[in-house]
Structure formats: structure tokens, C-alpha cells
Amino acid sequence: MCRAVVSYCSPTRGLVTADPTFELAGRTAAWLGAPVNAVPLTPDYRHDVKAMVAANPNAGLFYICTPNNPTGTITPLADIEWLIANKPTDAMVLIDEAYTHFAGVPVASYLALQHKHVIVMRTFSKLFGMAGLRMGYIITQPANIQKMMRYDGGMQSGALPVTSIACATASLTAAPLIAARRKEMQVARGLTLDHLTAKGVTVFPTDANMFMIDWKTKQARDMQTAFRKESVEIGRSWPIWPTVSRVTVGSAAEMKAFCTALDKIIA
């Protein structure tokens, strides 16, 4: 992600992203001195691709996270296709599919094959729990890879530890395990969302291993503190939504503990 921003953004070629979304691309662009346009999501929590194109006619990179972090919502491939067709001619589109294994929806790989200005990014750190191994990959045209790797002669990818490569290779053959883990997550998520709905709590729709709760009259940071007192850790909020908390879906036992804490906090 950072390589894409550094390669395709500059003080004259900005980054266009969503708000809220994963912030690393925006932080990298700000460090680079590139303009950053953060466009609010649509009312149904998709990337507003038309507003994103309008936000900067000279953008160097558009960042799409789908399922989105923190909302867990999907931006339809038709919307992304529209963005590719209507963006500035030489601007890049970076599609971050870090959470796609949890969603089980059609993926954007074909767009990287059809269009030279598209990068699709995946990671093993979510469903497969390999965050510490720093394993991921991109799908894009060879020329884009060469441009993004020019800063270190390919060492960042060429010097991966054998343990990381072995684990990633094994996981590529684990399609049944992907389905089983997705099902386990969906069951735990469904029970939790049902509990929240029964309590009258506002929950956003989601297709990933996370969901957003709008506490309405309570600040998200205060609710995070309240849960911490019950030995349950929930996620943070984003500046655009100060009353909304991100909650990651854990095991069935962890989600039961979350619901028990919720019942104590919201009597």
C-alpha cells in the first residue's frame, strides 16, 4: 500500500480515499506531501465512486477497501468498474481486499488483468492470522510491480523468511478451511448482531469479521472505556463518526463475553 502511494502520488498528484476507511494510505500520502481527499461513504456505506472522481481531477491514486475497514461493507464491482472507466486516464486504482475471505463475494482480480492502471491487494494476516509474518501479495501488470519495487531492488519481497513462504503456500490450498472459518465467524457474528438488535442498539450492515455500533448519545471512546472495565476490548472510532465503535468478531466465547459486558453497560 505504501509503495503504491509513494509510486503514484506526489505534491501534484493526490490520493483519493473514503471516510472512514483504513488510514495507512492517507497517512503515507500526507507524509509525502500529496493532497488527500477523504470522501464520505454513501448512505449505505459503499465507496462513493462518483464523488471520489469529482474530488480531484488530477489524482494519482484512488484507494478502495472492500470489504471496507472499519465498516465491513462491500463496494460493488460495478461501482469500481465505473471508477476505472471515469478516473483520470493515468491514475491508478488500488483495490484492497484484505477482508475478502470473510465476505465470500466475487473478487476484483479480473480488473487487474483487464486494466493496466489497477492493483489488487490481498493479505494472509486476517483469515489466516499471519499478521506477524507480514505476508501478502498484489495482482497487477508487471510494469507496475517494477515501478513499485524500484526503491530497494526487490529486496522487500525477495528476502522473505522461509517460514512465511511455507505458511502462505500451505494456506493457498486450504479452501475448505476458509469456508469453515467463514462459517464459524458468521455464526458468532449473527448471534451477536441478534443480541444487539434485541437490545435496541443500532448496528451497521456488514459482510466481514467486524461491525460498527452507533451508540447515538454516547461517545465511542467512553464506551470503549466502559467495556474495558468489564475486561472486554472493543475497537476505536473514526473522527467522522465519534459515536460509532468498530467491533471485531472473535470466537463464540469472546462474543458471548462481549454480549455479557454489553448487558451490564446497557441495563
Side-chain angles (χ1 to χ4, degrees):
M1 182 185 300
C2 295
R3 285 175 178 270
V5 174
V6 171
S7 297
Y8 298 106
C9 294
S10 70
T12 59
R13 299 299 302 271
L15 170 74
V16 180
T17 186
D19 191 11
T21 195
F22 185 51
E23 302 104 327
L24 184 57
R27 290 171 179 168
T28 304
W31 168 82
L32 190 64
V36 178
N37 294 95
V39 178
L41 298 172
T42 64
D44 58 351
Y45 312 111
R46 294 177 291 110
H47 286 65
D48 191 339
V49 293
K50 292 184 178 180
M52 291 177 74
V53 169
N56 186 349
N58 198 39
L61 179 68
F62 293 86
Y63 173 63
I64 302 286
C65 185
T66 180
N68 187 38
N69 179 8
T71 58
T73 45
I74 302 293
T75 294
L77 291 173
D79 288 4
I80 301 175
E81 290 176 348
W82 186 95
L83 171 65
I84 294 169
N86 290 276
K87 66 176 179 60
T89 304
D90 59 345
M92 298 296 295
V93 177
L94 176 61
I95 306 166
D96 183 352
E97 294 186 325
Y99 295 91
T100 193
H101 300 96
F102 292 108
V105 297
V107 294
S109 312
Y110 71 96
L111 295 174
L113 301 178
Q114 294 178 358
H115 303 281
K116 65 180 181 179
H117 294 121
V118 172
I119 303 167
V120 177
M121 183 169 63
R122 306 258 178 84
T123 180
F124 294 90
S125 69
K126 305 305 177 185
L127 185 75
F128 296 107
M130 296 186 192
L133 296 181
R134 314 311 301 165
M135 281 298 299
Y137 62 93
I138 62 171
I139 305 168
T140 192
Q141 300 293 318
N144 298 330
I145 295 175
Q146 292 175 6
K147 182 171 183 176
M148 288 186 286
M149 296 299 293
R150 70 187 186 276
Y151 296 105
D152 65 1
M155 282 301 295
Q156 183 67 30
S157 294
L160 290 171
V162 66
T163 49
S164 298
I165 296 173
C167 290
T169 301
S171 72
L172 288 174
T173 65
L177 181 59
I178 293 174
R181 288 185 175 177
R182 182 189 304 133
K183 182 63 176 178
E184 180 181 355
M185 182 278 297
Q186 289 172 337
V187 170
R189 184 184 67 193
L191 292 173
T192 306
L193 296 182
D194 288 346
H195 188 87
L196 288 163
T197 301
K199 295 285 289 187
V201 178
T202 300
V203 186
F204 294 7
T206 177
D207 286 289
N209 66 324
M210 67 192 86
F211 54 86
M212 303 291 279
I213 298 175
D214 190 348
W215 305 109
K216 299 295 185 180
T217 60
K218 299 180 177 66
Q219 292 292 303
R221 62 175 179 272
D222 296 333
M223 295 303 292
Q224 187 178 43
T225 299
F227 274 94
R228 188 171 294 146
K229 290 179 180 178
E230 300 297 330
S231 300
V232 173
E233 193 68 35
I234 66 171
R236 59 187 175 90
S237 63
W238 273 247
I240 194 173
W241 291 338
T243 64
V244 179
S245 297
R246 178 190 186 274
V247 177
T248 299
V249 180
S251 66
E254 289 169 335
M255 300 318 295
K256 182 177 180 180
F258 167 82
C259 291
T260 298
L262 176 81
D263 291 345
K264 293 180 180 179
I265 296 167
I266 303 178

